[in-house]
Amino acid sequence: MKGSESEFNLMEYMKNEFTKKNPRISVTLSGGGSAVGIGGLIRGENNIANASRKITDGEVALAMSNQVNPIPVIIATDAIAIITHPAVCVDSLSMQQLSDVFSGKITNWKEVGGADLPVKVIGRNQNSGTRYFLMDHLRMNGFAPGTTVEQDNPQ
């Protein structure tokens, strides 16, 4: 199994429970992000890709061309929380405002009724299903220039 960082702890728990009941079956688990897991599945490197996003039509086509038939199974649903520091004095944003903040159109919190402070965006890397979800739902092509990109969820 390989893939989503946001599902890693759940998958580790499931792997451990499975191994207790099936000690003769070896299961390995690694993270890296949803795209890493799906890419590994497409290349035949792993049997299970845990992803916090849907597999794309392009990924399905690529998998099929490699004689891999991906079968999506939903086991859980992620929740994404957008967090602002109390000092910025903003406790809610519309979807459009979120898109404008993450894409760099809004650069100061005063533009959305907050304090006169610069916006500092922190996001996830290219392999992240969370990043993919935000790009899709906020209809964005990328994060604002200068975004701090974190590799894993704990950061």
Side-chain angles (χ1 to χ4, degrees), residues 88-151:
V88 303
C89 302
V90 173
D91 62 6
S92 65
L93 295 166
S94 71
M95 293 295 279
Q96 184 60 55
Q97 288 171 322
L98 280 173
S99 179
D100 291 347
V101 165
F102 278 109
S103 66
K105 291 179 185 169
I106 292 175
T107 59
N108 191 299
W109 291 109
K110 68 182 177 184
E111 297 173 63
V112 289
D116 185 9
L117 293 168
V119 170
K120 174 68 175 157
V121 178
I122 302 172
R124 291 293 311 279
N125 68 47
Q126 296 280 351
N127 293 322
S128 167
T130 303
R131 177 188 177 108
Y132 180 90
F133 178 89
L134 284 173
M135 295 296 153
D136 183 46
H137 283 74
L138 297 178
R139 295 178 173 83
M140 298 169 28
N141 293 321
F143 285 128
T147 294
T148 298
V149 177
E150 298 293 353
Q151 295 301 311

Side-chain angles (χ1 to χ4, degrees), residues 14-27:
M14 293 173 76
K15 176 194 100 144
N16 291 339
E17 291 300 307
F18 178 84
T19 303
K20 285 179 193 174
K21 294 177 180 154
N22 303 278
R24 293 186 178 146
I25 299 174
S26 175
V27 178

